[in-house]
Amino acid sequence: MKRMKKELALLLIFTMLLSFTGLTPASADQETPMSSSTTYVMLYIDKPDAFVNNKKVTLDAPATILKEKTFVPAKFLGDTFGMKVEWNDKTRQITMETPTAKIMLDPDNKSVWINGYWQSFDTAAAIINGRLMIKLTWLADYMGAKYTYNDELRRVEVLHVKPQKGIYNPNSGNSRPVAKFTFAKDSYKIGEPVKYVDLSYDPDAEGIVNYQWTGKQEAFFTPGTYPISLVVSDAHGNKSDVYTRNLVITNDTYLDNVEYPIYMKPVGSYIKTDWSTLWGKFWELPQLTKQVTEDRSRKLLVSDSPEEFTEKGILYQDEVEGKGRLYADHVNGTQQKLTMAILAKNMTDKPVTVKTTNKGEVWPSVYANLIGNEATVDFLLNDPHDESFTIPPKQTFVYKQMPDFYPGQGVNLFYDVETDGKVQFSFVADTEISQNSALLPLLAFNGHVRGTFPVSQVNWNIDATNFNKPSRIIIGDGQTDPFQPGNDPMRKLDVKNEGNYGVVYKIHADKPRKMAVMILAMGGIFKGPFKINGDMRLVPQSGVLTAFDGMQILAKTTGKEDALDIEFSPPAGSAFPIELIFYPLDDRETH
């Protein structure tokens, strides 16, 4: 007998678990009412068919009669009427909450507790065919529902009016706010921006200070029905009830998940991608046609080797007569504080004037990407600059001198100069800068860029008017964008400016079509500025950018501009090549 009782108890627990893990209407058409106050349910004795507000559903456990009493599926009615019915696996008890009672059913001990008062389990519930059933007369009293039974039709009808909670608290003299919203349309396409219309309010007219959304997204990229919920709070911390609406996303496509951020995000935004998207959508894009011209009016002196010097000396040295650009990028690899300077020696028998027309400089820093970015920003700003001095014949002046340069720190410098005679410029690192610094030894080349190059500016005229597919131009690959040739007089060798550091790119497009322009860092870490129609754009706004991270939107055109002008110079510390991706747009973002 004890064994039978034990087995019966185990069976009871097992069936109770089944009832709470599987007892939901089998029909996919069932919906739980969210806003209607009245719910009308019809159940047929010993039949699985039922109706909720005249909508047919199929039950796992039908209503039945036991000992001349009608029993109904508890979980179904609880869900339908919006009441909590839960199984606690730890305590092996069932809890139910109705508007007037907290009910706990304990099948192990054959007990039911209602608001703390005990009664026998059998007076309220039963396990029938593995499902928890509740006596209808008993449950209706606590649910506040009305029911009728038609003996001829063997049909049970239950009418439940959901009581409305008040929002005013007389103890605090304040009301809870009300959360409410709608959508601007009945349904949206895949990738179509969803417009949420906020209808929430605070009855006390104090205002709503916090919105807590669940499920809200700018757009959805899989068709289906999505529940969106909102809770709002006022300044007193009073929270509203949860308000929920279902959003329908159709099978039609407005924008896919790749197009959406390109269309919808503003200039400067970051677009996160993955390798599959990059390979599938942005790798090996066709290149825009470009006409290239080179500006040879200003020679470029690049001092970048030894990039990290380990002793005092002359880093690079060459002559300028007329227009020149002085570019330096170095790191103090010694164990002592040094100073870096550029010396200017008049090589003629007459006074020579040196005029500075543009500059880009940054004080010593250990952050290599930062110094390259900041110096390039400074240079591309091209602020009005008119600085000049005159060097007596055969004399050496200090043209520029940096602050103290500590071990591990780096500098990056740009200067556009004009001379009316031959001047020798020497990039030097010394403990103390003087004219004697010109007598320091020439430091050996260690594999980075060093030399004098006749081209300091390239002009690309691109056709951005008539393309209809995503296209690109490549900067710094050494092939479609060749590295500029030059000469290193210290080694007496022909060299290449690998990376074209110090070169300014001016990219021009007449009558560009409507499009987005994005940067993709193909070669590795990138941090640097672009000047777009006169406006400075930082890439990225903070940190660094790599192809693993994604792309950044540099510009968007409307199709009505006369021209698009992009100005760029490869920043020190960044890797190349990079790609500028030109993505044609239509009018969908203004939908």
Side-chain angles (χ1 to χ4, degrees), residues 72-313:
V72 293
K75 188 75 162 63
F76 165 67
L77 286 184
D79 288 345
T80 302
F81 297 148
M83 290 178 291
K84 184 173 78 171
V85 181
E86 292 182 346
W87 164 258
N88 187 316
D89 186 56
K90 185 175 181 180
T91 63
R92 298 190 298 180
Q93 296 171 343
I94 305 109
T95 57
M96 302 178 65
E97 289 189 9
T98 75
T100 60
K102 289 187 177 181
I103 302 168
M104 188 273 288
L105 297 98
D106 185 350
D108 278 356
N109 297 302
K110 304 291 284 182
S111 299
V112 176
W113 296 85
I114 304 170
N115 292 335
Y117 292 95
W118 178 92
Q119 70 179 71
S120 171
F121 183 87
D122 294 336
T123 62
I127 301 297
I128 302 175
N129 295 327
R131 292 293 186 265
L132 173 66
M133 310 293 283
I134 296 294
K135 188 185 297 182
L136 180 58
T137 55
W138 180 86
L139 185 60
D141 290 340
Y142 294 104
M143 288 190 307
K146 296 181 179 179
Y147 70 92
T148 58
Y149 174 67
N150 188 315
D151 186 55
E152 183 179 354
L153 298 176
R154 291 176 60 80
R155 184 174 72 190
V156 178
E157 299 179 36
V158 184
L159 186 68
H160 179 261
V161 179
K162 185 177 180 180
Q164 297 298 313
K165 288 197 227 173
I167 60 174
Y168 180 73
N169 184 349
N171 295 325
S172 65
N174 200 264
S175 300
R176 290 184 293 114
V178 177
K180 195 173 185 181
F181 67 94
T182 187
F183 310 111
K185 298 167 56 176
D186 292 337
S187 63
Y188 287 82
K189 299 177 182 178
I190 293 170
E192 183 178 6
V194 179
K195 184 177 181 181
Y196 299 86
V197 182
D198 180 27
L199 303 173
S200 304
Y201 62 92
D202 181 5
D204 303 308
E206 295 170 330
I208 294 171
V209 298
N210 186 46
Y211 288 76
Q212 293 179 326
W213 292 90
T214 302
K216 182 183 180 184
Q217 294 178 201
E218 292 180 9
F220 295 78
F221 298 97
T222 303
T225 300
Y226 296 86
I228 315 294
S229 298
L230 174 64
V231 174
V232 297
S233 304
D234 63 17
H236 300 283
N238 298 316
K239 288 188 175 182
S240 69
D241 290 335
V242 178
Y243 183 81
T244 301
R245 294 186 75 92
N246 282 333
L247 175 65
V248 176
I249 305 298
T250 68
N251 288 308
D252 299 322
T253 299
Y254 182 76
L255 291 168
D256 64 31
N257 59 347
V258 175
E259 295 173 313
Y260 183 85
I262 299 173
Y263 271 85
M264 299 300 167
K265 288 194 173 184
V267 169
S269 296
Y270 176 77
I271 299 176
K272 189 168 181 60
T273 60
D274 51 42
W275 273 117
S276 63
T277 301
L278 289 175
W279 279 104
K281 298 287 187 178
F282 300 105
W283 224 257
E284 301 299 330
L285 292 176
Q287 297 193 46
L288 289 181
T289 302
K290 67 177 185 282
Q291 295 179 337
V292 181
T293 58
E294 297 175 338
D295 186 346
R296 294 175 175 265
S297 65
R298 184 186 299 277
K299 65 162 55 174
L300 169 64
L301 279 62
V302 177
S303 179
D304 191 23
S305 183
E307 184 179 75
E308 183 174 358
F309 56 87
T310 57
E311 57 184 314
K312 299 183 294 183

Side-chain angles (χ1 to χ4, degrees), residues 6-8 18-19 21 77 90 119 141 152-153 209 238 286 325 382 390 398 408 422 443 485 538 541 566-567 571:
K6 182 177 181 181
E7 290 177 349
L8 181 61
L18 286 178
S19 71
T21 57
L77 286 184
K90 185 175 181 180
Q119 70 179 71
D141 290 340
E152 183 179 354
L153 298 176
V209 298
N238 298 316
R325 175 170 299 152
N382 201 16
T390 301
V398 177
K422 187 179 293 186
L443 298 184
L538 301 181
Q541 295 290 336
I566 302 173
E567 195 170 347

Side-chain angles (χ1 to χ4, degrees), residues 324-372:
R325 175 170 299 152
L326 312 179
Y327 178 91
D329 183 47
H330 291 285
V331 175
N332 182 358
T334 72
Q335 299 300 313
Q336 59 182 318
K337 177 182 71 175
L338 294 178
T339 300
M340 182 177 170
I342 302 175
L343 306 181
K345 180 180 180 181
N346 182 349
M347 304 297 288
T348 74
D349 295 325
K350 297 179 180 180
V352 174
T353 298
V354 178
K355 182 179 180 181
T356 304
T357 59
N358 192 17
K359 72 175 180 66
E361 58 189 10
V362 60
W363 295 157
S365 168
V366 295
Y367 186 8
N369 296 110
L370 175 68
I371 62 176

Side-chain angles (χ1 to χ4, degrees), residues 23 42-50 57-66 69-74 76-77 126-134 154 156:
L23 186 52
M42 288 193 301
L43 307 100
Y44 292 86
I45 301 300
D46 297 328
K47 290 184 179 181
D49 295 336
V57 297
T58 302
L59 306 181
D60 283 351
T64 191
I65 294 178
L66 183 65
K69 300 295 182 181
T70 303
F71 285 76
V72 293
F76 165 67
L77 286 184
I127 301 297
I128 302 175
N129 295 327
R131 292 293 186 265
L132 173 66
M133 310 293 283
I134 296 294
R154 291 176 60 80
V156 178

Side-chain angles (χ1 to χ4, degrees), residues 529-544:
F530 288 79
K531 199 173 183 180
I532 311 289
N533 284 353
D535 294 333
M536 197 66 67
R537 309 281 164 79
L538 301 181
V539 179
Q541 295 290 336
S542 62
V544 296

